[in-house]
């Protein structure tokens, strides 16, 4: 094989042509003759570089928070993300707090933003199912929706079992809501002569964080509630996040 390549007249001819060319003409000849292998090598190098960059630049998600029917300003967004990392002495080069904003929920069937509501529901369900959501900031309407579906921790049990001192400090801000354990909504939808009935349970599911020093500084309108999603993989960090809201 080696001998064949060495004595290949065509290959020797190409070498002679290449040696006689100079400057741009030589580069153009190389490009015309070796275009395909050059492109293949470039694609391989790009994929390899992109993969390595993604590996070394990927940050660990320490906490994911959603704002539903709540619009945090730029300053508050900064404080609830990198500000929390700074407070915990955690590097932002390798870690991050992920914030989901622009989510909107309502039960008003005549709401003109029905498609946006549907997209928000899909987004919220997807993040919860994939354990990608830890805490949620909500107005009353969104709080009712999360509560009815049983998405939130029993905040009273969680705080009292985690930190008695923290529970005593925050107990005035606990807010109760209603979870629907089972109902006959599907039957009512097909037959409006059937009276709606449901089995429910009430318990504290959120904290009124609009009373926290950090949120008060933002001067946001209306009551804002914070709940911890029941299947959060970052429970301890979620507790630290609550401490941060009141420590500022």
């Amino acid at each position: 094989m080696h001998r064949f390549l060495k004595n290949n007249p065509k290959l020797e001819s190409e070498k002679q042509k290449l040696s006689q060319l100079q400057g741009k003409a030589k580069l153009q000849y190389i490009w015309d003759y070796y275009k395909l292998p050059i492109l293949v090598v470039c694609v391989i190098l790009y994929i390899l570089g992109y993969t390595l960059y993604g590996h070394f630049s990927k940050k660990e998600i320490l906490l994911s928070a959603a704002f539903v029917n709540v619009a945090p300003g730029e300053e508050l967004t900064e404080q609830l993300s990198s500000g929390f990392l700074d407070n915990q002495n955690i590097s932002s080069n390798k870690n991050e707090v992920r914030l989901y904003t622009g989510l909107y929920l309502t039960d008003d069937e005549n709401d003109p933003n029905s498609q946006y509501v549907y997209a928000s529901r899909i987004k919220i369900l997807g993040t919860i199912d994939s354990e990608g959501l830890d805490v949620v900031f909500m107005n009353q309407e969104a709080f009712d929706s999360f509560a009815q579906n049983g998405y939130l921790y029993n905040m009273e049990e969680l705080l009292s079992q985690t930190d008695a001192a923290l529970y005593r400090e925050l107990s005035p801000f606990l807010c109760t809501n209603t979870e629907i354990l089972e109902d006959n909504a599907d039957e009512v939808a097909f037959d409006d002569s059937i009276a709606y009935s449901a089995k429910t349970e009430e318990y504290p599911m959120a904290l009124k964080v609009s009373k926290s020093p950090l949120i008060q500084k933002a001067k946001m309108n209306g009551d804002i509630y914070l709940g911890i999603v029941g299947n959060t993989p970052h429970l301890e960090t979620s507790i630290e996040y609550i401490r941060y809201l009141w420590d500022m």
Side-chain angles (χ1 to χ4, degrees):
M1 178 74 71
H2 175 71
R3 184 178 179 181
F4 172 77
L5 292 175
K6 185 175 180 180
N7 299 323
N8 189 320
K10 183 177 180 181
L11 182 59
E12 291 298 326
S13 175
E14 296 295 342
K15 286 182 178 180
Q16 289 179 4
K17 289 181 183 178
L18 183 61
S19 64
Q20 294 172 0
L21 297 174
Q22 301 294 329
K24 292 183 178 179
K26 189 172 187 177
L27 292 175
Q28 184 63 46
Y29 181 83
I30 293 174
W31 172 249
D32 291 340
Y33 194 73
Y34 297 103
K35 182 186 299 184
L36 182 58
I38 289 174
L39 289 175
V40 171
V41 170
C42 287
V43 170
I44 293 174
L45 290 176
Y46 172 80
I47 294 174
L48 180 61
Y50 184 82
T51 302
L52 290 174
Y53 175 79
H55 174 74
F56 288 108
S57 63
K58 184 178 181 180
K59 295 184 178 182
E60 180 181 356
I61 306 298
L62 295 184
L63 185 85
S64 295
F67 295 84
V68 186
N69 298 8
V70 175
E74 182 177 346
E75 182 178 354
L76 182 58
T77 298
E78 182 73 15
Q79 291 173 330
L80 293 176
S81 52
S82 59
F84 174 67
L85 296 178
D86 292 340
N87 178 267
Q88 300 292 305
N89 295 317
I90 298 174
S91 172
S92 60
N93 293 327
K94 294 292 183 179
N95 306 278
E96 71 171 304
V97 174
R98 176 182 292 169
L99 302 182
Y100 296 102
T101 59
L103 298 172
Y104 178 57
L105 293 179
T106 181
D107 289 329
D108 183 1
E109 297 180 355
N110 298 318
D111 191 282
N113 300 308
S114 59
Q115 291 185 341
Y116 190 70
V117 173
Y118 176 77
S120 294
R121 289 188 187 277
I122 295 300
K123 179 70 172 180
I124 291 169
L125 288 173
T127 53
I128 291 177
D129 288 343
S130 63
E131 297 185 353
L133 185 58
D134 304 301
V135 302
V136 55
F137 294 87
M138 313 161 281
N139 72 347
Q140 183 65 57
E141 186 173 20
F143 180 26
D144 292 341
S145 179
F146 271 79
Q148 290 170 8
N149 288 282
Y151 291 148
L152 304 174
Y153 256 103
N154 184 321
M155 194 68 75
E156 184 174 44
E157 288 184 359
L158 178 61
L159 293 179
S160 61
Q161 294 172 5
T162 302
D163 188 327
L166 182 65
Y167 169 67
R168 288 193 296 270
E169 180 182 355
L170 299 183
S171 57
F173 307 107
L174 288 170
C175 297
T176 298
N177 212 317
T178 303
E179 176 184 355
I180 299 176
L181 302 176
E182 57 181 67
D183 65 9
N184 64 341
D186 292 339
E187 297 177 15
V188 173
F190 287 103
D191 187 351
D192 56 10
S193 66
I194 299 176
Y196 175 77
S197 63
K199 180 181 179 182
T200 63
E201 182 179 3
E202 293 187 359
Y203 52 91
M205 302 181 190
L207 292 166
K208 187 179 289 187
V209 292
S210 46
K211 300 296 183 180
S212 76
L214 182 61
I215 303 299
Q216 283 184 326
K217 288 180 182 179
K219 297 180 179 180
M220 302 180 70
N221 296 325
D223 291 329
I224 301 173
Y225 304 90
L226 179 144
I228 298 179
V229 179
N231 67 345
T232 169
H234 304 118
L235 185 56
E236 293 183 4
T237 307
S238 298
I239 297 295
E240 289 301 323
Y241 201 61
I242 290 173
R243 287 195 180 96
Y244 169 70
L245 294 178
W246 262 270
D247 283 344
M248 289 296 292

